Amino acid sequence: LQTLKKNTLFASLNEMQLEEVSSSMFKITLQAGETIIKQDDPGDDMYIIHEGQLEVLYSSEPVAVIGPGRAFGELALMYNCPRTATVRALTPASLWGLDRSNFRRILM
């Protein structure tokens, strides 16, 4: 819950809503070099980084490195659009995922 509370996407939620988000999430483990989302692919899940460092690439060019507490993938869920960037693990990483139906039910 602490990771959710620190994220601006979930900052306005009350404790009950945060618990609902938390209980709807699933855990993913990545190895260094593994890609979690690919630019232009359809998106059905968003993610919050629990541990590790991930690299964001736009048109195959690195544009950012993100770490614990950062969320990504939410734009595809909010706007029903393809992924706007590729994200891959720079280090071993663990993420919490939230699928489209739960995201929309709780946050929209």
Side-chain angles (χ1 to χ4, degrees):
L1 277 180
Q2 291 305 319
T3 302
L4 291 177
K5 287 180 183 179
K6 292 177 188 174
N7 190 283
T8 56
L9 191 61
F10 303 104
S12 65
L13 300 182
N14 62 39
E15 281 295 315
M16 192 170 79
Q17 291 169 313
L18 286 170
E19 287 287 344
E20 191 172 357
V21 170
S22 178
S23 67
S24 299
M25 297 186 104
F26 54 93
K27 191 167 187 176
I28 294 180
T29 302
L30 300 174
Q31 299 303 312
E34 193 172 352
T35 298
I36 183 74
I37 63 173
K38 240 181 125 184
Q39 187 174 346
D40 297 323
D41 280 358
D44 293 318
D45 303 310
M46 65 147 303
Y47 306 94
I48 297 179
I49 303 168
H50 179 65
E51 295 177 326
Q53 299 290 310
L54 282 74
E55 179 178 44
V56 179
L57 301 107
Y58 180 77
S59 297
S60 302
E61 295 295 321
V63 293
V65 174
I66 55 177
R70 290 289 303 270
F72 62 95
E74 72 281 1
L75 293 179
L77 304 186
M78 293 169 71
Y79 302 113
N80 200 28
C81 63
R83 298 293 191 183
T84 57
T86 295
V87 180
R88 71 176 171 214
L90 289 174
T91 65
S94 64
L95 316 173
W96 290 104
L98 184 65
D99 66 43
R100 178 186 303 276
S101 62
N102 283 309
F103 177 88
R104 294 181 78 77
R105 180 176 55 80
I106 298 166
L107 293 169
M108 297 188 85

